[in-house]
Amino acid sequence: MSFLIALTVFVGLLCTLDLVLTLGVIKRLREHTALLAKGSQPARPAIQVGESVGRFMATTVDGAPLEPGSLHGETLVGFFSPTCRPCQEKLPQFAAYAAARSQGRDGVLAVVVTEEDDAAEFVAALSPVARVVVEGRQGPVGTAFMAHSFPTMLTVESADEGTLVVTDTRVTLDIPAATSV
């Protein structure tokens, strides 16, 4: 009889331990679900509308020097990484949108951020419609624009003394470029 009592107590303790562990797993799953939901929203650049872009000097893949003063009027700026799946998906849309803009190639800047030699596909797709810069993660253009997530798309406008001011951080590639200003 004492054996049955001991066995019943053991099974009860085992079930209680299982219940505690299951509740812990459920709590962690809820936390992960919240983190995933938060991460699935489109990333916004750290720089906001109305802020000035920092100083930078870079060279385009064509060999032309690039600095804030060389961007005139409204300029569409896109930051892409070849290792980023959303970047690969947005690249054709961005290229089509850039091609339709009335400002032409000089009104678009595309920055391909990579530490490896895998930028060729992106450069080939973007070069006909944009000035293209290839740089590393902490490159001068990405640092000036505070672009830490990819893809990042925004528009800037020339201000006094060659500075750039952010005019939009939510570029919608679905709208025809001719109607967006």
Side-chain angles (χ1 to χ4, degrees):
M1 185 71 155
S2 65
F3 173 73
L4 288 175
I5 293 173
L7 185 61
T8 304
V9 169
F10 175 72
V11 170
L13 289 174
L14 191 60
C15 288
T16 303
L17 176 64
D18 183 46
L19 178 63
V20 168
L21 291 175
T22 301
L23 291 174
V25 169
I26 290 170
K27 180 182 176 193
R28 292 287 287 171
L29 283 173
R30 286 184 179 156
E31 291 172 1
H32 283 269
T33 302
L35 287 174
L36 288 173
K38 182 179 179 183
S40 67
Q41 297 171 354
R44 291 186 47 186
I47 197 165
Q48 297 300 312
V49 173
E51 292 185 88
S52 295
V53 175
R55 304 285 309 158
F56 62 87
M57 291 199 65
T59 304
T60 66
V61 294
D62 299 332
L66 183 73
E67 59 184 354
S70 59
L71 301 176
H72 304 289
E74 183 185 69
T75 303
L76 172 66
V77 182
F79 289 87
F80 300 93
S81 174
T83 58
C84 158
R85 173 172 267 131
C87 294
Q88 295 166 358
E89 294 169 359
K90 291 280 187 186
L91 181 66
Q93 284 180 296
F94 182 85
Y97 182 83
R101 286 176 56 90
S102 62
Q103 294 90 340
R105 186 174 184 268
D106 287 339
V108 182
L109 172 62
V111 182
V112 181
V113 180
T114 182
E115 300 294 338
E116 301 174 21
D117 296 330
D118 56 356
E121 179 184 337
F122 278 68
V123 170
L126 293 167
S127 288
V129 297
R131 292 187 268 182
V132 181
V133 173
V134 177
E135 65 181 19
R137 285 263 179 211
Q138 301 299 322
V141 182
T143 301
F145 280 87
M146 295 185 225
H148 305 294
S149 59
F150 308 102
T152 294
M153 289 168 258
L154 45 90
T155 57
V156 295
E157 185 124 5
S158 310
D160 298 332
E161 302 170 18
T163 60
L164 297 174
V165 175
V166 177
T167 56
D168 190 3
T169 59
R170 296 187 185 270
V171 177
T172 305
L173 301 177
D174 301 341
I175 299 171
T179 62
S180 68
V181 177

